[in-house]
Amino acid sequence: MSYRETSLWNELNELRCLLALKKLEQLGFPRGKQSELSREISQKSGLEVGNVIAKICNYKSVAGINNTSNASINTKQLYTRYEGKSISELESLITNLE
């Protein structure tokens, strides 16, 4: 994967957003939960909350939950690579990258 050097996006932050999607799916997409998870990711990553929300929406799109979006190649590749992982497996991956 390649990310711009000036960007805070990287595999760790992408995985955090994919984990948020998995959690939202498991919970049945409760109202307000995406914003809550996005704020948590924002605090850990330094990314703007709005950018995190948009990334989670891109993952929803790639997963076929939302309409198509302008998801990045990195998002599509990460989804393909990790879509079969459980929440606990993703949490372990993230912990190892932190």
Side-chain angles (χ1 to χ4, degrees):
M1 313 248 156
S2 64
Y3 298 92
R4 285 181 294 146
E5 287 184 32
T6 58
S7 172
L8 293 176
W9 285 109
N10 53 40
E11 189 165 335
L12 172 60
N13 291 329
E14 290 266 1
L15 286 171
R16 287 173 170 155
C17 292
L18 178 57
L19 175 60
L21 170 65
K22 294 273 189 173
K23 288 180 176 181
L24 290 167
E25 282 180 309
Q26 184 181 59
L27 296 170
F29 298 98
R31 189 168 186 73
K33 189 67 173 176
Q34 182 171 333
S35 293
E36 178 187 324
L37 293 171
S38 296
R39 282 190 298 276
E40 290 172 13
I41 294 168
S42 173
Q43 290 173 348
K44 291 177 184 176
S45 67
L47 292 160
E48 296 290 329
V49 173
N51 291 337
V52 175
I53 289 170
K55 181 64 76 171
I56 294 170
C57 287
N58 285 340
Y59 274 108
K60 285 180 176 178
S61 175
V62 172
I65 297 164
N66 282 356
N67 294 329
T68 58
S69 70
N70 293 323
S72 70
I73 292 170
N74 291 334
T75 298
K76 292 174 185 176
Q77 288 177 345
L78 249 93
Y79 182 80
T80 300
R81 186 183 314 162
Y82 296 110
E83 69 179 304
K85 299 284 186 192
S86 68
I87 288 173
S88 61
E89 290 172 321
L90 286 173
E91 287 172 336
S92 291
L93 281 169
I94 289 167
T95 299
N96 290 336
L97 290 172
E98 291 175 325

mmCIF file with all atom_site columns, all heavy atoms in Angstrom, residues 83-94:
data_model
loop_
_atom_site.group_PDB
_atom_site.id
_atom_site.type_symbol
_atom_site.label_atom_id
_atom_site.label_alt_id
_atom_site.label_comp_id
_atom_site.label_asym_id
_atom_site.label_entity_id
_atom_site.label_seq_id
_atom_site.pdbx_PDB_ins_code
_atom_site.Cartn_x
_atom_site.Cartn_y
_atom_site.Cartn_z
_atom_site.occupancy
_atom_site.B_iso_or_equiv
_atom_site.pdbx_formal_charge
_atom_site.auth_seq_id
_atom_site.auth_comp_id
_atom_site.auth_asym_id
_atom_site.auth_atom_id
_atom_site.pdbx_PDB_model_num
ATOM 1  N N   . GLU A 1 83 ? -11.415 -8.621  5.296  1.00 0.00 ? 83 GLU A N   1
ATOM 2  C CA  . GLU A 1 83 ? -12.854 -8.710  5.523  1.00 0.00 ? 83 GLU A CA  1
ATOM 3  C C   . GLU A 1 83 ? -13.268 -9.957  6.301  1.00 0.00 ? 83 GLU A C   1
ATOM 4  O O   . GLU A 1 83 ? -14.245 -9.943  7.042  1.00 0.00 ? 83 GLU A O   1
ATOM 5  C CB  . GLU A 1 83 ? -13.629 -8.643  4.205  1.00 0.00 ? 83 GLU A CB  1
ATOM 6  C CG  . GLU A 1 83 ? -13.448 -9.868  3.316  1.00 0.00 ? 83 GLU A CG  1
ATOM 7  C CD  . GLU A 1 83 ? -14.259 -9.775  2.041  1.00 0.00 ? 83 GLU A CD  1
ATOM 8  O OE1 . GLU A 1 83 ? -15.483 -9.592  2.124  1.00 0.00 ? 83 GLU A OE1 1
ATOM 9  O OE2 . GLU A 1 83 ? -13.657 -9.867  0.972  1.00 0.00 ? 83 GLU A OE2 1
ATOM 10 N N   . GLY A 1 84 ? -12.526 -11.039 6.178  1.00 0.00 ? 84 GLY A N   1
ATOM 11 C CA  . GLY A 1 84 ? -12.863 -12.272 6.867  1.00 0.00 ? 84 GLY A CA  1
ATOM 12 C C   . GLY A 1 84 ? -12.388 -12.344 8.307  1.00 0.00 ? 84 GLY A C   1
ATOM 13 O O   . GLY A 1 84 ? -12.697 -13.295 9.028  1.00 0.00 ? 84 GLY A O   1
ATOM 14 N N   . LYS A 1 85 ? -11.663 -11.341 8.755  1.00 0.00 ? 85 LYS A N   1
ATOM 15 C CA  . LYS A 1 85 ? -11.147 -11.327 10.127 1.00 0.00 ? 85 LYS A CA  1
ATOM 16 C C   . LYS A 1 85 ? -12.250 -10.953 11.115 1.00 0.00 ? 85 LYS A C   1
ATOM 17 O O   . LYS A 1 85 ? -13.114 -10.130 10.825 1.00 0.00 ? 85 LYS A O   1
ATOM 18 C CB  . LYS A 1 85 ? -9.993  -10.321 10.274 1.00 0.00 ? 85 LYS A CB  1
ATOM 19 C CG  . LYS A 1 85 ? -8.797  -10.599 9.401  1.00 0.00 ? 85 LYS A CG  1
ATOM 20 C CD  . LYS A 1 85 ? -7.983  -11.728 9.949  1.00 0.00 ? 85 LYS A CD  1
ATOM 21 C CE  . LYS A 1 85 ? -6.707  -11.888 9.132  1.00 0.00 ? 85 LYS A CE  1
ATOM 22 N NZ  . LYS A 1 85 ? -6.007  -13.112 9.422  1.00 0.00 ? 85 LYS A NZ  1
ATOM 23 N N   . SER A 1 86 ? -12.165 -11.535 12.288 1.00 0.00 ? 86 SER A N   1
ATOM 24 C CA  . SER A 1 86 ? -13.110 -11.212 13.357 1.00 0.00 ? 86 SER A CA  1
ATOM 25 C C   . SER A 1 86 ? -12.685 -9.904  14.029 1.00 0.00 ? 86 SER A C   1
ATOM 26 O O   . SER A 1 86 ? -11.574 -9.405  13.813 1.00 0.00 ? 86 SER A O   1
ATOM 27 C CB  . SER A 1 86 ? -13.139 -12.332 14.388 1.00 0.00 ? 86 SER A CB  1
ATOM 28 O OG  . SER A 1 86 ? -11.895 -12.376 15.076 1.00 0.00 ? 86 SER A OG  1
ATOM 29 N N   . ILE A 1 87 ? -13.557 -9.404  14.868 1.00 0.00 ? 87 ILE A N   1
ATOM 30 C CA  . ILE A 1 87 ? -13.245 -8.192  15.626 1.00 0.00 ? 87 ILE A CA  1
ATOM 31 C C   . ILE A 1 87 ? -12.001 -8.414  16.479 1.00 0.00 ? 87 ILE A C   1
ATOM 32 O O   . ILE A 1 87 ? -11.095 -7.576  16.496 1.00 0.00 ? 87 ILE A O   1
ATOM 33 C CB  . ILE A 1 87 ? -14.459 -7.761  16.481 1.00 0.00 ? 87 ILE A CB  1
ATOM 34 C CG1 . ILE A 1 87 ? -15.549 -7.191  15.571 1.00 0.00 ? 87 ILE A CG1 1
ATOM 35 C CG2 . ILE A 1 87 ? -14.053 -6.750  17.556 1.00 0.00 ? 87 ILE A CG2 1
ATOM 36 C CD1 . ILE A 1 87 ? -16.860 -6.880  16.252 1.00 0.00 ? 87 ILE A CD1 1
ATOM 37 N N   . SER A 1 88 ? -11.933 -9.539  17.153 1.00 0.00 ? 88 SER A N   1
ATOM 38 C CA  . SER A 1 88 ? -10.770 -9.788  18.022 1.00 0.00 ? 88 SER A CA  1
ATOM 39 C C   . SER A 1 88 ? -9.487  -9.939  17.212 1.00 0.00 ? 88 SER A C   1
ATOM 40 O O   . SER A 1 88 ? -8.415  -9.494  17.642 1.00 0.00 ? 88 SER A O   1
ATOM 41 C CB  . SER A 1 88 ? -10.992 -11.001 18.918 1.00 0.00 ? 88 SER A CB  1
ATOM 42 O OG  . SER A 1 88 ? -11.189 -12.161 18.160 1.00 0.00 ? 88 SER A OG  1
ATOM 43 N N   . GLU A 1 89 ? -9.563  -10.533 16.035 1.00 0.00 ? 89 GLU A N   1
ATOM 44 C CA  . GLU A 1 89 ? -8.381  -10.645 15.177 1.00 0.00 ? 89 GLU A CA  1
ATOM 45 C C   . GLU A 1 89 ? -7.917  -9.273  14.708 1.00 0.00 ? 89 GLU A C   1
ATOM 46 O O   . GLU A 1 89 ? -6.712  -8.989  14.692 1.00 0.00 ? 89 GLU A O   1
ATOM 47 C CB  . GLU A 1 89 ? -8.667  -11.549 13.976 1.00 0.00 ? 89 GLU A CB  1
ATOM 48 C CG  . GLU A 1 89 ? -8.815  -13.014 14.337 1.00 0.00 ? 89 GLU A CG  1
ATOM 49 C CD  . GLU A 1 89 ? -9.296  -13.868 13.181 1.00 0.00 ? 89 GLU A CD  1
ATOM 50 O OE1 . GLU A 1 89 ? -10.176 -13.408 12.407 1.00 0.00 ? 89 GLU A OE1 1
ATOM 51 O OE2 . GLU A 1 89 ? -8.801  -14.994 13.053 1.00 0.00 ? 89 GLU A OE2 1
ATOM 52 N N   . LEU A 1 90 ? -8.859  -8.413  14.330 1.00 0.00 ? 90 LEU A N   1
ATOM 53 C CA  . LEU A 1 90 ? -8.500  -7.050  13.922 1.00 0.00 ? 90 LEU A CA  1
ATOM 54 C C   . LEU A 1 90 ? -7.916  -6.268  15.086 1.00 0.00 ? 90 LEU A C   1
ATOM 55 O O   . LEU A 1 90 ? -6.944  -5.535  14.921 1.00 0.00 ? 90 LEU A O   1
ATOM 56 C CB  . LEU A 1 90 ? -9.707  -6.318  13.338 1.00 0.00 ? 90 LEU A CB  1
ATOM 57 C CG  . LEU A 1 90 ? -10.135 -6.737  11.932 1.00 0.00 ? 90 LEU A CG  1
ATOM 58 C CD1 . LEU A 1 90 ? -11.433 -6.057  11.541 1.00 0.00 ? 90 LEU A CD1 1
ATOM 59 C CD2 . LEU A 1 90 ? -9.044  -6.440  10.921 1.00 0.00 ? 90 LEU A CD2 1
ATOM 60 N N   . GLU A 1 91 ? -8.491  -6.436  16.264 1.00 0.00 ? 91 GLU A N   1
ATOM 61 C CA  . GLU A 1 91 ? -7.961  -5.743  17.439 1.00 0.00 ? 91 GLU A CA  1
ATOM 62 C C   . GLU A 1 91 ? -6.516  -6.168  17.710 1.00 0.00 ? 91 GLU A C   1
ATOM 63 O O   . GLU A 1 91 ? -5.677  -5.328  18.046 1.00 0.00 ? 91 GLU A O   1
ATOM 64 C CB  . GLU A 1 91 ? -8.849  -6.019  18.667 1.00 0.00 ? 91 GLU A CB  1
ATOM 65 C CG  . GLU A 1 91 ? -10.173 -5.299  18.613 1.00 0.00 ? 91 GLU A CG  1
ATOM 66 C CD  . GLU A 1 91 ? -11.137 -5.689  19.704 1.00 0.00 ? 91 GLU A CD  1
ATOM 67 O OE1 . GLU A 1 91 ? -11.031 -6.814  20.252 1.00 0.00 ? 91 GLU A OE1 1
ATOM 68 O OE2 . GLU A 1 91 ? -12.021 -4.856  20.003 1.00 0.00 ? 91 GLU A OE2 1
ATOM 69 N N   . SER A 1 92 ? -6.215  -7.452  17.529 1.00 0.00 ? 92 SER A N   1
ATOM 70 C CA  . SER A 1 92 ? -4.848  -7.939  17.717 1.00 0.00 ? 92 SER A CA  1
ATOM 71 C C   . SER A 1 92 ? -3.901  -7.336  16.686 1.00 0.00 ? 92 SER A C   1
ATOM 72 O O   . SER A 1 92 ? -2.783  -6.918  17.028 1.00 0.00 ? 92 SER A O   1
ATOM 73 C CB  . SER A 1 92 ? -4.803  -9.460  17.619 1.00 0.00 ? 92 SER A CB  1
ATOM 74 O OG  . SER A 1 92 ? -5.439  -10.048 18.708 1.00 0.00 ? 92 SER A OG  1
ATOM 75 N N   . LEU A 1 93 ? -4.331  -7.288  15.435 1.00 0.00 ? 93 LEU A N   1
ATOM 76 C CA  . LEU A 1 93 ? -3.522  -6.663  14.384 1.00 0.00 ? 93 LEU A CA  1
ATOM 77 C C   . LEU A 1 93 ? -3.223  -5.214  14.714 1.00 0.00 ? 93 LEU A C   1
ATOM 78 O O   . LEU A 1 93 ? -2.084  -4.747  14.580 1.00 0.00 ? 93 LEU A O   1
ATOM 79 C CB  . LEU A 1 93 ? -4.247  -6.737  13.036 1.00 0.00 ? 93 LEU A CB  1
ATOM 80 C CG  . LEU A 1 93 ? -4.209  -8.046  12.266 1.00 0.00 ? 93 LEU A CG  1
ATOM 81 C CD1 . LEU A 1 93 ? -5.195  -7.996  11.112 1.00 0.00 ? 93 LEU A CD1 1
ATOM 82 C CD2 . LEU A 1 93 ? -2.806  -8.291  11.743 1.00 0.00 ? 93 LEU A CD2 1
ATOM 83 N N   . ILE A 1 94 ? -4.244  -4.502  15.139 1.00 0.00 ? 94 ILE A N   1
ATOM 84 C CA  . ILE A 1 94 ? -4.088  -3.087  15.460 1.00 0.00 ? 94 ILE A CA  1
ATOM 85 C C   . ILE A 1 94 ? -3.141  -2.906  16.631 1.00 0.00 ? 94 ILE A C   1
ATOM 86 O O   . ILE A 1 94 ? -2.252  -2.051  16.606 1.00 0.00 ? 94 ILE A O   1
ATOM 87 C CB  . ILE A 1 94 ? -5.479  -2.456  15.730 1.00 0.00 ? 94 ILE A CB  1
ATOM 88 C CG1 . ILE A 1 94 ? -6.253  -2.360  14.404 1.00 0.00 ? 94 ILE A CG1 1
ATOM 89 C CG2 . ILE A 1 94 ? -5.340  -1.082  16.394 1.00 0.00 ? 94 ILE A CG2 1
ATOM 90 C CD1 . ILE A 1 94 ? -7.723  -2.052  14.570 1.00 0.00 ? 94 ILE A CD1 1
#
